[in-house]
Amino acid sequence: MTTPQYDVVAIGNAIVDILAQTDDAFLAEQGMTKGAMQLIFSPEEADALYVKMGPGREISGGSAANTLAGIAALGGKCGFVGQVADDQLGQVFAHDIRAAGIRFDTPERAGAPTTGRCLIFVTPDGQRTMNTFLGASHYLPEAALDRALIADAAYLYIEGYLWDPEEPRAAMRAAIEVARKASRQIAFTLSAEFVIDRHRADFHDLIDHDLIDILFANEAEIMALTETTDVEAAIAAVQDKVPTVVVTLAEKGACAIRGGKRTMVPAEPVAQVVDTTGAGDLFAAGFLHAQARGHDLEKSLKLGAVCAAEIISHFGARPQVDLKALAARTLG
């Protein structure tokens, strides 16, 4: 096995986030479930909701892309595979991810649909309610994979959100095969309960065939995967099937189980929660970066918690402080 040149290569949705502040009354008027994510299935519907937004700001997003932005800010070397359209938002996304120091070579897609966008409404308590039009991101073909890049990364990181459509699902399965043949590690984030409900059998199949080395989930997701209402029972059901299981537990912190041993860290204190967008993405960034540097589970969890705390202290899911300095203090 050759020494990898990249720490992490990720496959995920290529989306531009548009964030605006609002209140609970607006969410109720629009029939939105506060703190949840719902899909928008047409550009016309997305446009209609966009018109109702207050002053917004555009920040490139997408779960896996956010994680890579965190790893790059920590000093890691990354590559991203994701589909944008040949339009203005596609140019915004490509510029932002490359400016962060992340390799991004996926060719733009001509024609409809447009580049994916997520309309995010942030209430005064920092909760974000997301409305996502996935657009071109759901048309990632297997032909767009750079197999040499995937084989040259220590970790392949797969975003569960992208498992829905058939075309990128086939691409991700092919990428997993490439990573396995190159003896690389595969990390998988479950992403959301609605994704798990639709693809639970697929995810169990990946686990049963030893195709996931690190599984990321929050409390709700791990319970949805195992169809139980008890988080400890859910963790127990998968901890012997996946080499490393990482579960974020909100204000209770996070835990990781490897080889039957459980490691737990508390949540990092935050002076004010401004926007929870990307908290799980940046937690994964800190954890994977520390793992790629050979640190133990406790330090990896700690760095994940530190990165998550930073991201929820401001708007948007991309770091705004020197994460390298935070990592130096955390990892020693």
Side-chain angles (χ1 to χ4, degrees):
M1 181 175 65
T2 59
T3 301
Q5 298 301 303
Y6 291 83
D7 295 308
V8 182
V9 167
I11 304 177
N13 284 313
I15 293 174
V16 176
D17 293 339
I18 303 172
L19 298 99
Q21 293 175 287
T22 193
D23 54 28
D24 290 351
F26 176 84
L27 300 182
E29 289 170 6
Q30 301 302 314
M32 299 177 191
T33 301
K34 183 177 178 178
M37 196 281 278
Q38 65 179 5
L39 292 176
I40 298 175
F41 294 101
S42 74
E44 293 78 17
E45 186 182 353
D47 289 342
L49 184 57
Y50 177 68
V51 169
K52 298 176 183 177
M53 294 185 81
R57 65 187 76 179
E58 293 179 355
I59 306 172
S60 292
S63 177
N66 291 338
T67 294
L68 292 187
I71 294 171
L74 287 162
K77 190 174 182 182
C78 308
F80 180 70
V81 180
Q83 188 67 64
V84 297
D86 184 10
D87 57 18
Q88 182 179 356
L89 285 183
Q91 292 170 10
V92 169
F93 181 90
H95 169 270
D96 286 355
I97 200 164
R98 289 169 182 153
I102 299 164
R103 179 173 168 180
F104 177 56
D105 301 327
T106 309
E108 296 172 339
R109 185 177 187 272
T114 59
T115 296
R117 50 187 148 148
C118 183
L119 308 181
I120 302 176
F121 297 89
V122 184
T123 44
D125 60 359
Q127 280 290 322
R128 82 283 185 271
T129 303
M130 299 183 290
N131 300 266
T132 305
F133 173 62
L134 294 163
S137 67
H138 270 198
Y139 292 86
L140 175 72
E142 183 179 336
L145 294 180
D146 184 335
R147 284 168 164 75
L149 175 65
I150 292 165
D152 206 14
Y155 292 88
L156 171 66
Y157 183 67
I158 298 289
E159 177 186 323
Y161 279 128
L162 196 56
W163 202 261
D164 251 358
E166 183 176 350
E167 196 168 14
R169 185 164 65 247
M172 287 187 287
R173 286 191 181 279
I176 288 171
E177 184 178 348
V178 171
R180 265 292 176 262
K181 286 182 178 179
S183 300
R184 307 308 188 195
Q185 296 279 292
I186 299 163
F188 192 98
T189 177
L190 290 173
S191 293
E193 293 169 76
F194 76 88
V195 176
I196 298 164
D197 288 340
R198 289 205 280 265
H199 302 288
R200 185 178 291 106
D202 260 6
F203 295 165
H204 279 295
D205 185 66
L206 292 174
I207 291 170
D208 292 342
H209 285 85
D210 301 321
L211 295 177
I212 299 176
D213 298 297
I214 301 176
L215 180 68
F216 288 98
N218 62 26
E219 291 176 279
E221 291 159 4
I222 199 74
M223 289 189 291
L225 179 68
T226 56
E227 298 181 277
T228 179
T229 56
D230 181 85
V231 68
E232 290 301 329
I235 293 171
V238 298
Q239 67 180 30
D240 294 330
K241 298 180 179 180
V242 180
T244 304
V245 177
V246 181
V247 183
T248 54
L249 304 165
E251 71 279 357
K252 298 187 291 293
C255 69
I257 301 93
R258 177 180 292 166
K261 180 183 177 182
R262 179 171 178 151
T263 303
M264 182 88 186
V265 301
E268 283 291 305
V270 180
Q272 181 183 5
V273 176
V274 175
D275 173 20
T276 55
T277 306
D281 304 334
L282 269 291
F283 181 92
F287 184 91
L288 285 173
H289 179 75
Q291 286 287 285
R293 295 294 181 275
H295 291 285
D296 61 17
L297 288 180
E298 183 175 7
K299 285 192 173 181
S300 299
L301 289 168
K302 182 72 172 176
L303 186 58
V306 166
C307 291
E310 189 281 327
I311 217 69
I312 65 176
S313 66
H314 58 74
F315 280 103
R318 299 292 170 93
Q320 294 184 4
V321 304
D322 185 356
L323 289 191
K324 290 181 183 178
L326 291 180
R329 291 197 295 271
T330 303
L331 301 176

